[in-house]
Amino acid sequence: MNFFFLDAILPPWLSAQRPVAWNGKEQPSRQSPTQSLKHYNTPGAFPPSARVDPKFKRQPRRPLHLWEYWKYPAFLALKATELTAELLLHKIWGPRKKSWGIEMTIATSLLRGIGHHTGLIGIGTIRMLMSIGGLIPLPSDALATPVKFRVRKRNLRGILASFDAAETGLRELSGEWVVGKKTWQRLQSEWKFSSASAPENMALPTKERIVLYIHGGAYYLSSAAFQRMVSIPLARYSDARIFAIDYRLAPETQFPGPLHDVVSAYLRLVEDLHIPSDNIVVCGDSAGGGLALALLMYLRDNDYPLPSAAIVMSPWVDLTLSCESWDSNAMFDIVPFPRMDSHMNPIALYLGEHTEKYLTHPYASPLFGSFEGLPPLLIQAGDAEVLRDEIALLAHKARLAGVSVRHEVYDDAIHVFQAWPCFSATLRAFESMQNFMHNILPRYQAGSLQILGDIAERGMGAEMENERTVVVGRDGIEKKDG
């Protein structure tokens, strides 16, 4: 899990690539991390290698004319050709990355370059297809319970004050509790979840961690249910209860609306369910990792209690797309470069008409923020992903600010590889999260983990086990468990 640049193993024509700014100028590279960070210390000042024009606007989707429908079979033929070529190369010369099995070669071939064809499909269609992921049977060692709650006014400060003032108490957010089956059985055996009719003294006081999980999806896709491939292993390895939040997506809700939802979910755990902040770990992947860091910064900046730690997987922390790995890893990763003329450019969808104002705002691009006073961070990335370099700068900047950082870079790994069970590093990544939560984090907290009170235990218990709880048995049949 060593961090290194790929020049030694890439062909000269690729390793010679240099970042190209939005204005077409090539920029120097191979600066030291400390030298590079000077471009990320001032929100509002754009790095010279930024690939995003701060003045660009969201583009509407151009509907296809009837005579353009040939593009659909042409796209399928292109992907079939690319897949066939990849399989042949895999067989003859080996995979693109040494540790990739045939499954990774097939999956990355199908997904790579998809960003060049976004004109063939709309956002709604993609969301509909991704929602099917929530219908896939859960692993046989997990339970999931959907939850809805009303968003109430909390007198939020700072950038969210106007959003908070507009709340009437009628808007609802959704999410789900995810808990490993063994964890659930252990909790029940210890009488942590006593029913309303049981004696009050049956709920034993405990010290346990609760995880707030924030899914990725470039701010405009995915859901808590779709990301169960991450949240369920996280629940199992951490032996903790996971609350996965469904924040509002762009473009219907733009920055900082999703941050408002994440803050509301966190304060609901702390203020409504009475879970001590010292017992909470925030976790997020990709855009959710960026939101997790923005949450920490917002809480710190406005004097709210901070969680005990954060775990971020492949966090997207620089919306200017200024780092070199966007070029050097493009031939490996599945994340497409956001085309400025695409109606699905995630930056334009997320920032809307305020791109120039918010592009380097620390809550949108955390790499431009200050990290002083943040809790310990576990940062995981893949050495083959396009976000690799900005994540390395994030870890370096946090260390310079005095934050306890564990930065892990996994060989041959792509963006959010933790969601790929077929990848060899996935197991090691979750084992590292387990070690971080159970062995490393206690050293930092020095006994600050609090007892979960009766209100917290009963509140979580009532939400986790009811008629909506779903469990899948060893026979693979989904059934209700309540």
Side-chain angles (χ1 to χ4, degrees), residues 177 243 265 267-276 452-460 463:
W177 284 101
F243 183 70
L267 293 180
R268 176 178 181 266
L269 296 180
V270 174
E271 296 178 355
D272 298 351
L273 293 179
H274 297 271
I275 299 171
L452 291 177
D454 186 66
I455 296 177
E457 289 288 12
R458 288 180 178 274
M460 287 188 290
E463 290 191 353

Side-chain angles (χ1 to χ4, degrees), residues 13 40 88 132 147 149 197 260 286 293-294 307 352 354 358 360 374-375 405:
W13 64 267
Y40 304 93
L88 287 174
I132 298 175
V147 174
F149 62 94
S197 60
H260 180 212
S286 191
L293 293 167
H354 303 288
Y358 289 136
T360 60
L374 296 190
V405 177

Side-chain angles (χ1 to χ4, degrees), residues 139-142 178-183 228-242 421 426-427 430 434 438:
S140 57
D141 57 355
V178 179
V179 59
K181 203 172 179 182
K182 289 184 178 179
T183 302
R228 286 173 181 168
M229 294 300 289
V230 175
S231 62
I232 288 177
L234 177 64
R236 184 168 68 247
Y237 280 92
S238 65
D239 191 24
R241 287 161 277 187
I242 313 291
T426 299
L427 176 61
F430 282 110
Q434 180 185 51
H438 292 282

